[in-house]
Amino acid sequence: MFLKEYDCKQSKDILARLAINDPVFKVKETAFRAAQALGVTSHGNPIYLGKGKKGNLVKGINKKLEKVRNSLPDDYSFEDFKSEFQKKYPSAYDVYEGTKKDFDGWLKKSEANLPHRK
């Protein structure tokens, strides 16, 4: 991470914000390590990493995936589904892509488990 190379208030503030609030655990962990190296605190208190979230990382993800599927024609491919998900919900896509080790496998499984079209 390049921010740790700059020992200034702005980079420390950004690192603290990322280490505390970023939804992607890899980003959060990297920012935490960089913040630790620079001795960054949050309101005078040390920053703690905590554990990564389990389960649904984004509220309502199944409804979002269902909306994506329903917006596609009946003969869509997995790549169509994936690109439409990225277009419609870029932040949810980024969270899951950055967190899931086998993102494509997770997305295929989630798509297969969606309720049938009406």
Side-chain angles (χ1 to χ4, degrees), residues 65 68 72 76-89 93 97 103-105 107-108 111:
L65 292 174
V68 169
L72 295 169
Y76 70 90
S77 69
F78 173 72
E79 290 303 317
D80 294 338
F81 181 77
K82 185 176 173 182
S83 79
E84 189 67 17
F85 176 43
Q86 187 175 19
K87 278 188 235 169
K88 281 190 177 232
Y89 302 103
Y93 183 92
E97 186 185 39
F103 174 70
D104 283 354
L107 191 57
K108 284 178 185 176
E111 176 196 9

Short mmCIF file of all heavy atoms in Angstrom, two decimals, residues 65 68 72 76-89 93 97 103-105 107-108 111:
data_model
loop_
_atom_site.label_atom_id
_atom_site.label_comp_id
_atom_site.label_asym_id
_atom_site.label_seq_id
_atom_site.Cartn_x
_atom_site.Cartn_y
_atom_site.Cartn_z
N LEU A 65 -29.38 -10.11 -6.47
CA LEU A 65 -29.04 -11.11 -7.48
C LEU A 65 -30.29 -11.54 -8.26
O LEU A 65 -30.22 -11.78 -9.47
CB LEU A 65 -28.38 -12.32 -6.82
CG LEU A 65 -26.99 -12.07 -6.24
CD1 LEU A 65 -26.49 -13.30 -5.49
CD2 LEU A 65 -26.00 -11.65 -7.31
N VAL A 68 -31.03 -8.92 -10.80
CA VAL A 68 -30.10 -9.04 -11.93
C VAL A 68 -30.57 -10.15 -12.86
O VAL A 68 -30.64 -9.96 -14.07
CB VAL A 68 -28.66 -9.33 -11.42
CG1 VAL A 68 -27.76 -9.73 -12.57
CG2 VAL A 68 -28.10 -8.10 -10.70
N LEU A 72 -32.37 -10.13 -17.14
CA LEU A 72 -31.73 -10.77 -18.29
C LEU A 72 -32.73 -11.63 -19.06
O LEU A 72 -33.70 -12.11 -18.47
CB LEU A 72 -30.57 -11.65 -17.81
CG LEU A 72 -29.39 -10.90 -17.17
CD1 LEU A 72 -28.45 -11.89 -16.50
CD2 LEU A 72 -28.65 -10.08 -18.20
N TYR A 76 -29.71 -16.39 -20.95
CA TYR A 76 -28.47 -15.69 -20.58
C TYR A 76 -27.37 -16.67 -20.18
O TYR A 76 -27.63 -17.80 -19.78
CB TYR A 76 -28.73 -14.69 -19.45
CG TYR A 76 -29.03 -15.32 -18.11
CD1 TYR A 76 -28.01 -15.62 -17.22
CD2 TYR A 76 -30.33 -15.61 -17.72
CE1 TYR A 76 -28.27 -16.19 -15.99
CE2 TYR A 76 -30.61 -16.18 -16.50
CZ TYR A 76 -29.58 -16.47 -15.63
OH TYR A 76 -29.83 -17.04 -14.42
N SER A 77 -26.11 -16.20 -20.29
CA SER A 77 -24.97 -17.01 -19.87
C SER A 77 -24.50 -16.52 -18.50
O SER A 77 -24.90 -15.46 -18.02
CB SER A 77 -23.82 -16.88 -20.88
OG SER A 77 -23.29 -15.56 -20.82
N PHE A 78 -23.63 -17.31 -17.88
CA PHE A 78 -23.08 -16.91 -16.58
C PHE A 78 -22.32 -15.59 -16.71
O PHE A 78 -22.39 -14.73 -15.84
CB PHE A 78 -22.17 -18.00 -16.00
CG PHE A 78 -21.46 -17.55 -14.76
CD1 PHE A 78 -22.16 -17.40 -13.56
CD2 PHE A 78 -20.11 -17.25 -14.78
CE1 PHE A 78 -21.51 -16.96 -12.41
CE2 PHE A 78 -19.47 -16.81 -13.63
CZ PHE A 78 -20.17 -16.67 -12.44
N GLU A 79 -21.58 -15.42 -17.81
CA GLU A 79 -20.82 -14.19 -18.02
C GLU A 79 -21.75 -12.97 -18.13
O GLU A 79 -21.43 -11.89 -17.65
CB GLU A 79 -19.92 -14.30 -19.25
CG GLU A 79 -18.75 -15.25 -19.06
CD GLU A 79 -17.87 -14.90 -17.86
OE1 GLU A 79 -17.56 -13.71 -17.65
OE2 GLU A 79 -17.48 -15.84 -17.13
N ASP A 80 -22.92 -13.17 -18.77
CA ASP A 80 -23.92 -12.09 -18.84
C ASP A 80 -24.39 -11.73 -17.43
O ASP A 80 -24.50 -10.56 -17.09
CB ASP A 80 -25.14 -12.53 -19.67
CG ASP A 80 -24.82 -12.75 -21.13
OD1 ASP A 80 -23.82 -12.21 -21.62
OD2 ASP A 80 -25.59 -13.50 -21.78
N PHE A 81 -24.67 -12.75 -16.64
CA PHE A 81 -25.14 -12.55 -15.27
C PHE A 81 -24.09 -11.81 -14.45
O PHE A 81 -24.39 -10.83 -13.75
CB PHE A 81 -25.46 -13.91 -14.63
CG PHE A 81 -25.96 -13.82 -13.22
CD1 PHE A 81 -27.27 -13.44 -12.95
CD2 PHE A 81 -25.14 -14.12 -12.15
CE1 PHE A 81 -27.74 -13.36 -11.65
CE2 PHE A 81 -25.59 -14.05 -10.85
CZ PHE A 81 -26.90 -13.67 -10.60
N LYS A 82 -22.85 -12.24 -14.58
CA LYS A 82 -21.75 -11.63 -13.82
C LYS A 82 -21.55 -10.16 -14.21
O LYS A 82 -21.42 -9.29 -13.35
CB LYS A 82 -20.48 -12.43 -14.07
CG LYS A 82 -19.28 -11.99 -13.27
CD LYS A 82 -18.11 -12.92 -13.55
CE LYS A 82 -16.86 -12.43 -12.90
NZ LYS A 82 -15.70 -13.30 -13.21
N SER A 83 -21.56 -9.87 -15.51
CA SER A 83 -21.33 -8.49 -15.95
C SER A 83 -22.52 -7.59 -15.59
O SER A 83 -22.34 -6.42 -15.24
CB SER A 83 -21.01 -8.41 -17.43
OG SER A 83 -22.14 -8.51 -18.22
N GLU A 84 -23.73 -8.13 -15.63
CA GLU A 84 -24.92 -7.35 -15.26
C GLU A 84 -24.90 -7.05 -13.76
O GLU A 84 -25.27 -5.96 -13.33
CB GLU A 84 -26.19 -8.10 -15.65
CG GLU A 84 -27.46 -7.31 -15.51
CD GLU A 84 -27.56 -6.14 -16.49
OE1 GLU A 84 -26.83 -6.10 -17.49
OE2 GLU A 84 -28.39 -5.26 -16.24
N PHE A 85 -24.47 -8.02 -12.95
CA PHE A 85 -24.32 -7.81 -11.51
C PHE A 85 -23.32 -6.70 -11.24
O PHE A 85 -23.55 -5.81 -10.43
CB PHE A 85 -23.89 -9.12 -10.84
CG PHE A 85 -23.61 -9.03 -9.36
CD1 PHE A 85 -24.45 -8.31 -8.52
CD2 PHE A 85 -22.53 -9.69 -8.81
CE1 PHE A 85 -24.19 -8.25 -7.14
CE2 PHE A 85 -22.27 -9.63 -7.45
CZ PHE A 85 -23.10 -8.91 -6.62
N GLN A 86 -22.21 -6.71 -11.98
CA GLN A 86 -21.18 -5.68 -11.80
C GLN A 86 -21.71 -4.30 -12.21
O GLN A 86 -21.40 -3.30 -11.56
CB GLN A 86 -19.94 -6.03 -12.60
CG GLN A 86 -18.78 -5.09 -12.34
CD GLN A 86 -17.52 -5.52 -13.06
OE1 GLN A 86 -17.55 -6.31 -14.01
NE2 GLN A 86 -16.39 -5.02 -12.60
N LYS A 87 -22.51 -4.24 -13.27
CA LYS A 87 -23.06 -2.96 -13.73
C LYS A 87 -24.11 -2.41 -12.77
O LYS A 87 -24.12 -1.23 -12.46
CB LYS A 87 -23.70 -3.12 -15.11
CG LYS A 87 -22.74 -3.06 -16.25
CD LYS A 87 -23.50 -3.03 -17.56
CE LYS A 87 -23.00 -4.16 -18.43
NZ LYS A 87 -23.80 -4.41 -19.60
N LYS A 88 -25.02 -3.28 -12.33
CA LYS A 88 -26.14 -2.82 -11.49
C LYS A 88 -25.73 -2.54 -10.05
O LYS A 88 -26.27 -1.62 -9.43
CB LYS A 88 -27.26 -3.87 -11.48
CG LYS A 88 -28.12 -3.84 -12.71
CD LYS A 88 -29.34 -4.71 -12.50
CE LYS A 88 -30.21 -4.62 -13.72
NZ LYS A 88 -31.56 -4.28 -13.44
N TYR A 89 -24.84 -3.35 -9.50
CA TYR A 89 -24.46 -3.23 -8.09
C TYR A 89 -22.93 -3.28 -7.95
O TYR A 89 -22.38 -4.24 -7.41
CB TYR A 89 -25.10 -4.35 -7.27
CG TYR A 89 -26.60 -4.35 -7.35
CD1 TYR A 89 -27.27 -5.27 -8.15
CD2 TYR A 89 -27.36 -3.42 -6.65
CE1 TYR A 89 -28.66 -5.27 -8.24
CE2 TYR A 89 -28.74 -3.41 -6.74
CZ TYR A 89 -29.38 -4.34 -7.53
OH TYR A 89 -30.75 -4.33 -7.61
N TYR A 93 -20.65 -5.98 -5.83
CA TYR A 93 -19.75 -6.81 -6.63
C TYR A 93 -18.33 -6.73 -6.08
O TYR A 93 -17.66 -7.74 -5.89
CB TYR A 93 -19.80 -6.36 -8.09
CG TYR A 93 -18.96 -7.18 -9.03
CD1 TYR A 93 -19.50 -8.26 -9.70
CD2 TYR A 93 -17.62 -6.88 -9.26
CE1 TYR A 93 -18.74 -9.02 -10.58
CE2 TYR A 93 -16.85 -7.63 -10.12
CZ TYR A 93 -17.41 -8.69 -10.77
OH TYR A 93 -16.64 -9.45 -11.63
N GLU A 97 -16.24 -9.79 -4.58
CA GLU A 97 -15.06 -10.18 -5.37
C GLU A 97 -13.79 -10.07 -4.54
O GLU A 97 -12.89 -10.91 -4.64
CB GLU A 97 -14.94 -9.31 -6.62
CG GLU A 97 -13.83 -9.76 -7.54
CD GLU A 97 -13.63 -8.83 -8.71
OE1 GLU A 97 -13.73 -7.60 -8.55
OE2 GLU A 97 -13.36 -9.35 -9.80
N PHE A 103 -14.72 -16.43 -6.09
CA PHE A 103 -15.84 -15.55 -6.38
C PHE A 103 -16.78 -16.14 -7.43
O PHE A 103 -17.99 -16.16 -7.25
CB PHE A 103 -15.34 -14.18 -6.83
CG PHE A 103 -16.42 -13.25 -7.28
CD1 PHE A 103 -17.32 -12.72 -6.38
CD2 PHE A 103 -16.56 -12.91 -8.62
CE1 PHE A 103 -18.34 -11.87 -6.80
CE2 PHE A 103 -17.57 -12.05 -9.04
CZ PHE A 103 -18.45 -11.54 -8.13
N ASP A 104 -16.22 -16.64 -8.54
CA ASP A 104 -17.07 -17.21 -9.59
C ASP A 104 -17.87 -18.40 -9.08
O ASP A 104 -19.05 -18.54 -9.40
CB ASP A 104 -16.23 -17.61 -10.81
CG ASP A 104 -15.81 -16.42 -11.66
OD1 ASP A 104 -16.26 -15.30 -11.37
OD2 ASP A 104 -15.03 -16.62 -12.61
N GLY A 105 -17.23 -19.26 -8.28
CA GLY A 105 -17.93 -20.40 -7.71
C GLY A 105 -19.06 -19.97 -6.80
O GLY A 105 -20.17 -20.52 -6.85
N LEU A 107 -20.66 -17.08 -6.92
CA LEU A 107 -21.70 -16.44 -7.72
C LEU A 107 -22.54 -17.48 -8.46
O LEU A 107 -23.77 -17.36 -8.51
CB LEU A 107 -21.08 -15.43 -8.69
CG LEU A 107 -22.03 -14.49 -9.40
CD1 LEU A 107 -22.86 -13.68 -8.41
CD2 LEU A 107 -21.27 -13.56 -10.33
N LYS A 108 -21.91 -18.51 -9.00
CA LYS A 108 -22.65 -19.58 -9.69
C LYS A 108 -23.58 -20.29 -8.71
O LYS A 108 -24.75 -20.56 -9.03
CB LYS A 108 -21.69 -20.58 -10.31
CG LYS A 108 -21.03 -20.10 -11.57
CD LYS A 108 -20.04 -21.11 -12.11
CE LYS A 108 -19.31 -20.53 -13.32
NZ LYS A 108 -18.28 -21.42 -13.83
N GLU A 111 -26.47 -17.99 -7.80
CA GLU A 111 -27.41 -17.89 -8.93
C GLU A 111 -28.28 -19.15 -8.99
O GLU A 111 -29.49 -19.07 -9.20
CB GLU A 111 -26.63 -17.72 -10.23
CG GLU A 111 -27.50 -17.70 -11.45
CD GLU A 111 -26.72 -17.91 -12.74
OE1 GLU A 111 -25.52 -18.22 -12.69
OE2 GLU A 111 -27.34 -17.77 -13.79
#
